[in-house]
């Protein structure tokens, strides 16, 4: 029959109200639910019938049929009439029924009529009845009676079988299984000797190495086509064989790190927008997109694996598999840290660089010295190679947050990495920026007014070319760079000032003072006055070591020698403190701090020579000459180079080369006031001792100063020594390797006269006596000390 029901048109649907449509949908859903419910009920009834049929006690089918047939036969015999008493029509009907097969084969016990057809689906009970039963008696199960359910058909009782606790049976089964497993392991697993186990381990390790090398080389040869092999290589980080797991994981970590360094592009990969995904692109573009997406996802998973390895080591966590021990986790974590440090330095432009920074910076303060040193060195390398400043700004922000979050309880090395920042200039103030003329293109009105038609045409082409060049230029603009450097340095100074204000007794103070000494010329003028007062109060407190006080002096003079010239501050206290501190230096561990002293002297005398009096210069010259006798040769060279600058910068320094005293008073070397120690009444007798120094460069400088440090003539120094600053000479002639610098010239040893045995003696008698003594056999006689003692006592 053809379905005449039409699909409602769009107009009709529009006319139909929303409530009516919702009701139709609800009715349809209700019908579907009721049909499903009905089907579930039928299935439930079938299952219950099957369960009842199975639970009944089985009995032979033939006996039951025989009994029923016999009973019915007896009843039929009682009710049957003799044939002579039946009508002819009845007999004929009986004969016709007997001829039909269905009458004989039909199940007589059923009440159904003959003409009823067979059902398509045979009942489940009949099927189970036809299946041969097992005569095994099942144990009766205890039932728990639940609340009954009322249905249309009536009340349905609910029961649940009582659960049997697997007690002794399970234990016995487990014991049997364990015994079987032990028997199996004893029978089938071969017992290997230590040599065989080592050989097997070497073979497995070699196979893994070859597999890693094959995957890595395939990825490097064609990264676009073999990006899926990157996932296979990363999956080897989960090596489960306990014999080779540690080494394989280390190798895979390092291999993946090198692979990512090679195949990562020189730009940051951004996620595609929905519109970009929907648009059709070329095959090459689609292939590149798939490669970039796969690369970023695998790189992310790799970094997560490294992070998880480090966390497991820090938390002393063991995995459920127990493939790797806790001791081995330390080695794995160190390799993971090395990989992160390499990626931090090698891929500062790529994705997840900020995540790597967040991982590395807290490890700079780690208890493990090796891990802390690795991370600090990586950050120093990043600062040195970061020309623009994006990566440096990110690291400085995280370090500042770490110092503040730990309440200034961090290692000094964490703050010392700031000294490696490549910041030499920052943004000037706004007024000076506004004064500086900026290059701009001419407007249309200016061109129309000042230029001819041909000139306007050429100007337009020129401006277009300049714009294209600016767009194509790879390097960032100077303004952007200065802005980043200014923001970075502001965060550094905020960190320093917080420590000066809140944690003056912290072990971070030397690092802070050293940083201030380096970047003091970049500090804003508004902070100069307060900062100088804080530095002076630190020196006056007496709680600083000599090194910290030297950094304070250096910071103060860096401030006063730059933009701080406008400040009305008398630095005499800082001169006095340095003069007093000089004699705390010697040839021992403090020799390396002479470099800081040389920097201070350069700022205090060379750059502020107009503000220094003659008495002060003479006092420093005398004390420095005395100090040159007590330090190592490289320090002596640096100090004598500074004395040379003083003698050439200030007049009347040759007073100290004359033995006759000038003026009244006696030189007081123990006085710590350079203005009042009467240095003009002494002489530089130390130069005569330095002329006999074992170091040749010290001898040259001493001889040069004795004749008045001339720039020309026979007493002048060579260009190699005269044109180099004192700090550079101090580093050049360093003796850190515990060797002479410059090395001592090797002298060819004179050949010693050889002594030829008997031929050297001319006297024949002497030769014969020697030959006789040599040929005689030496007989050792026992010494009798008691006999000699008696003889000596008698005498």
């Amino acid at each position: 029959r053809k379905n005449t029901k039409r699909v409602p048109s769009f107009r009709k649907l529009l006319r139909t109200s929303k409530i009516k449509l919702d009701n139709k949908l609800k009715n349809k859903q209700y019908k579907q639910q009721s049909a499903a419910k009905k089907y579930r009920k039928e299935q439930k009834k079938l299952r219950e019938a099957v369960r009842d049929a199975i639970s009944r006690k089985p009995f032979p089918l033939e006996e039951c049929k025989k009994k029923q047939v016999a009973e019915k036969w007896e009843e039929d015999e009682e009710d049957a009439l003799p044939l002579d008493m039946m009508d002819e029509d009845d007999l004929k009907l009986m004969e016709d029924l007997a001829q039909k097969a269905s009458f004989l084969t039909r199940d007589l016990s059923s009440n159904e009529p003959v003409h009823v057809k067979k059902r398509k689906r045979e009942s489940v009970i009949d099927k189970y009845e036809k299946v041969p039963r097992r005569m095994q008696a099942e144990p009766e199960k205890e039932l728990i009676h639940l609340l009954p359910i009322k249905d249309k058909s009536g009340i349905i009782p609910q029961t649940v079988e009582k659960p049997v606790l697997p007690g002794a049976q399970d234990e016995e089964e487990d014991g049997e299984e364990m015994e079987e497993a032990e028997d199996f392991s004893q029978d089938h697993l071969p017992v290997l000797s230590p040599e065989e186990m080592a050989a097997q381990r070497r073979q497995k390790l070699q196979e893994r190495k070859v597999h890693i090398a094959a995957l890595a080389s395939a990825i490097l040869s064609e990264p676009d086509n073999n990006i899926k092999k990157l996932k296979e290589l990363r999956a080897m980080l989960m090596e489960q064989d306990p014999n080779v797991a540690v080494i394989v994981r280390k190798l895979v970590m390092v291999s993946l790190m090198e692979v990512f360094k090679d195949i990562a592009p020189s730009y940051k990969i951004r996620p595609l927008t929905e519109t970009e995904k929907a648009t059709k692109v070329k095959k090459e573009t689609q292939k590149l997109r798939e490669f970039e997406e796969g690369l970023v996802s695998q790189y992310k998973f790799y970094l997560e694996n490294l992070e998880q390895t480090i966390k497991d080591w820090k938390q002393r966590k063991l995995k459920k598999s127990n493939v790797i021990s806790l001791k081995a986790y330390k080695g794995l974590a160190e390799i993971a840290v090395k990989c992160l440090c390499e990626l931090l330095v090698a891929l500062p432009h790529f994705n997840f660089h900020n995540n790597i920074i967040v991982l590395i910076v807290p490890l700079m303060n780690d208890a493990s010295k090796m891990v802390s040193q690795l991370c600090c060195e990586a950050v120093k390398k990043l600062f040195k190679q970061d020309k623009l400043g994006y990566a440096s700004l990110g690291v400085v922000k995280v370090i500042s947050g770490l110092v503040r979050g730990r309440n200034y309880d961090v290692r000094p090395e964490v703050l010392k990495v700031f000294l490696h920042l490549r910041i030499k200039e920052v943004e000037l103030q706004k007024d000076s920026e506004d004064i500086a003329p900026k290059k701009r293109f001419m407007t249309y009105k200016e061109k129309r007014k000042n230029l001819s038609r041909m000139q306007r045409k050429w100007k337009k082409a020129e401006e277009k070319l300049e714009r294209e060049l600016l767009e194509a230029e790879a390097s960032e603009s100077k303004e952007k760079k200065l802005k980043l450097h200014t923001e970075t340095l502001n965060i550094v100074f905020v960190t320093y000032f917080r420590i000066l204000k809140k944690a003056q007794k912290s072990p971070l103070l030397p690092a802070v003072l050293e940083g201030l000494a380096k970047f003091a010329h970049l500090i804003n003028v508004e902070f100069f006055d307060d900062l100088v007062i804080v530095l002076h109060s630190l020196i006056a407190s007496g709680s600083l070591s000599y090194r910290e006080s030297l950094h304070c002096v250096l910071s103060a003079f860096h401030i006063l020698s730059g933009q701080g010239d406008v400040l009305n501050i008398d630095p005499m206290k800082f001169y006095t403190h340095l003069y007093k501190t000089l004699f705390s230096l010697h040839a021992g561990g403090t020799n390396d701090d002479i470099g800081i002293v040389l920097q201070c002297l350069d700022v205090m005398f060379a750059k502020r020579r107009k503000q220094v009096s003659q008495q002060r210069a003479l006092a420093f010259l005398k004390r420095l000459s005395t100090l040159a006798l007590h330090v190592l040769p490289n320090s002596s060279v640096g100090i004598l180079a500074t004395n040379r600058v003083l003698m050439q910068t200030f007049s009347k320094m040759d007073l100290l080369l004359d033995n006759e005293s000038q003026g009244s008073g006696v030189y007081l070397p123990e006085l710590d006031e350079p203005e009042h120690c009467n240095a003009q009444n002494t002489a530089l007798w130390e130069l005569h001792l330095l002329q006999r120094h074992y170091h040749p460069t010290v001898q040259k400088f001493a001889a040069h100063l004795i004749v008045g440090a001339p720039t020309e003539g026979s007493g002048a120094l060579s260009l190699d020594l005269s044109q180099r600053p004192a700090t550079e000479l101090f580093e050049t002639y360093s003796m850190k390797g515990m060797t002479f610098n410059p090395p001592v010239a090797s002298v060819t040893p004179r050949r010693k006269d050889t002594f030829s045995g008997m031929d050297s003696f001319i006297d024949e008698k002497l030769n014969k006596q020697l030959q006789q003594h040599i040929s005689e056999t030496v007989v050792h006689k026992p010494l009798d000390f008691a006999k000699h003692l008696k003889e000596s006592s008698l005498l």
Side-chain angles (χ1 to χ4, degrees), residues 666-702:
V666 181
Y667 173 59
L668 303 172
E670 70 280 358
L671 191 66
D672 291 333
E673 293 289 337
E675 296 284 349
H676 309 291
C677 66
N678 300 324
Q680 74 276 4
N681 294 329
T682 185
L684 295 178
W685 53 266
E686 294 90 356
L687 295 177
H688 291 280
L689 293 176
L690 291 170
Q691 266 188 313
R692 300 186 185 91
H693 200 280
Y694 68 87
H695 201 279
T697 311
V698 177
Q699 293 177 10
K700 290 178 185 177
F701 267 102

Side-chain angles (χ1 to χ4, degrees), residues 407-658:
N407 199 16
Y408 312 105
D409 185 19
V410 295
R411 286 170 172 248
E413 289 81 5
V414 177
L415 282 184
K416 283 183 180 178
V417 297
F418 286 161
L419 300 174
H420 299 270
L421 285 166
R422 290 184 60 175
I423 300 177
K424 295 182 180 177
E425 54 181 345
V426 292
E427 277 185 329
L428 301 173
Q429 293 180 351
K430 288 185 179 180
D431 52 358
S432 59
E433 284 184 351
D434 294 336
I435 292 167
K438 292 183 179 178
K439 186 178 179 181
R440 62 184 181 85
F441 297 111
M442 294 177 71
T443 61
Y444 178 73
K445 287 183 179 180
E446 288 174 349
K447 289 178 187 175
R448 190 76 182 263
K449 185 179 179 181
N450 300 324
L451 302 175
S452 65
R453 186 177 178 183
M454 185 59 74
Q455 285 175 335
R456 287 201 302 269
K457 191 175 180 181
W458 280 105
K459 192 72 177 174
K460 186 178 179 181
E462 186 181 345
E463 288 178 358
K464 185 181 178 182
L465 182 62
E466 285 182 5
R467 283 193 183 97
E468 289 177 356
L469 287 172
L470 285 172
E471 288 174 2
E473 192 177 2
S475 61
E476 295 288 339
S477 64
K478 190 177 180 182
E479 293 179 3
K480 204 169 188 179
K481 184 177 177 181
L482 285 175
K483 192 174 181 181
L484 287 170
H485 284 183
T486 306
E487 189 178 352
T488 304
L489 206 59
N490 285 340
I491 297 170
V492 171
F493 283 140
V494 165
T495 307
Y496 285 165
F497 294 158
R498 277 180 187 154
I499 294 170
L500 281 175
K501 186 178 179 181
K502 298 181 181 180
Q504 290 189 357
K505 294 184 179 180
S506 168
L508 300 177
L509 191 62
V512 170
L513 295 172
E514 198 171 348
L516 285 173
K518 181 173 182 180
F519 300 117
H521 62 286
L522 301 173
I523 301 176
N524 198 341
V525 184
E526 298 171 1
F527 302 110
F528 279 3
D529 200 3
D530 296 333
L531 192 56
V532 170
I533 293 170
V534 169
L535 293 174
H536 182 262
S537 63
L538 284 172
I539 291 174
S541 65
S543 59
L544 301 180
S545 65
Y546 76 94
R547 183 183 175 85
E548 294 169 3
S549 61
L550 287 177
H551 282 304
C552 278
V553 172
L554 185 58
S555 303
F557 279 102
H558 270 305
I559 291 168
L560 297 174
S561 61
Q563 301 176 40
D565 286 337
V566 296
L567 298 177
N568 189 16
I569 297 173
D570 183 20
M572 184 59 200
K573 297 173 183 177
F574 295 104
Y575 280 101
T576 306
H577 183 74
L578 181 64
Y579 186 78
K580 184 170 40 176
T581 312
L582 285 177
F583 278 162
S584 62
L585 304 171
H586 49 76
T590 61
N591 185 76
D592 293 335
D593 299 325
I594 298 289
I596 306 171
V597 173
L598 297 177
Q599 292 178 34
C600 291
L601 293 170
D602 181 50
V603 179
M604 292 162 69
F605 289 98
K607 295 180 181 177
R608 293 175 57 86
R609 51 181 170 271
K610 292 181 180 179
Q611 288 89 359
V612 179
S613 64
Q614 182 183 343
Q615 292 290 334
R616 198 181 303 170
L618 287 169
F620 269 94
L621 182 61
K622 174 62 179 175
R623 183 157 284 199
L624 286 171
S625 301
T626 308
L627 179 64
L629 295 171
H630 305 287
V631 291
L632 293 180
N634 62 328
S635 301
S636 298
V637 171
I639 289 170
L640 293 177
T642 304
N643 286 352
R644 177 177 175 272
V645 173
L646 288 175
M647 293 180 74
Q648 290 178 350
T649 304
F650 297 95
S651 59
K652 298 183 180 180
M653 290 292 108
D654 53 352
L655 292 174
L656 299 180
L657 300 176
D658 191 1

Side-chain angles (χ1 to χ4, degrees), residues 202-237:
R202 281 195 296 270
Q203 185 181 357
K204 285 182 182 178
L205 199 57
Q206 188 63 28
E207 289 174 1
R208 303 291 196 284
K209 285 181 181 178
V210 171
H211 188 47
I212 292 168
L215 289 173
S217 59
I219 295 165
L220 293 175
S221 60
E222 293 183 8
D224 300 345
N225 300 328
N226 296 323
I227 194 67
K228 290 184 180 178
K229 291 189 177 180
L230 201 59
K231 183 178 180 181
E232 187 180 347
L233 183 60
R234 189 180 58 80
M236 293 184 73
L237 282 172

Side-chain angles (χ1 to χ4, degrees), residues 81-139:
L81 295 171
L83 293 174
D84 54 354
M85 293 180 67
M86 294 179 68
D87 294 336
E88 292 180 2
D89 297 336
D90 295 334
L91 285 171
K92 193 174 182 180
L93 180 62
M94 293 291 289
E95 287 175 1
D96 293 338
L97 288 172
Q99 288 175 1
K100 291 182 180 180
S102 62
F103 179 77
L104 296 172
T105 56
R106 191 165 73 91
D107 187 7
L108 299 174
S109 62
S110 66
N111 298 321
E112 292 179 355
V114 182
H115 62 271
V116 174
K117 293 181 180 180
K118 278 192 174 181
R119 292 183 182 179
K120 289 183 180 179
R121 295 181 182 177
E122 199 172 359
S123 64
V124 182
I125 301 173
D126 294 341
K127 281 185 180 179
Y128 276 100
E129 287 292 337
K130 289 177 183 177
V131 174
R133 293 176 173 79
R134 296 176 183 174
M135 301 305 293
Q136 186 178 357
E138 296 181 1

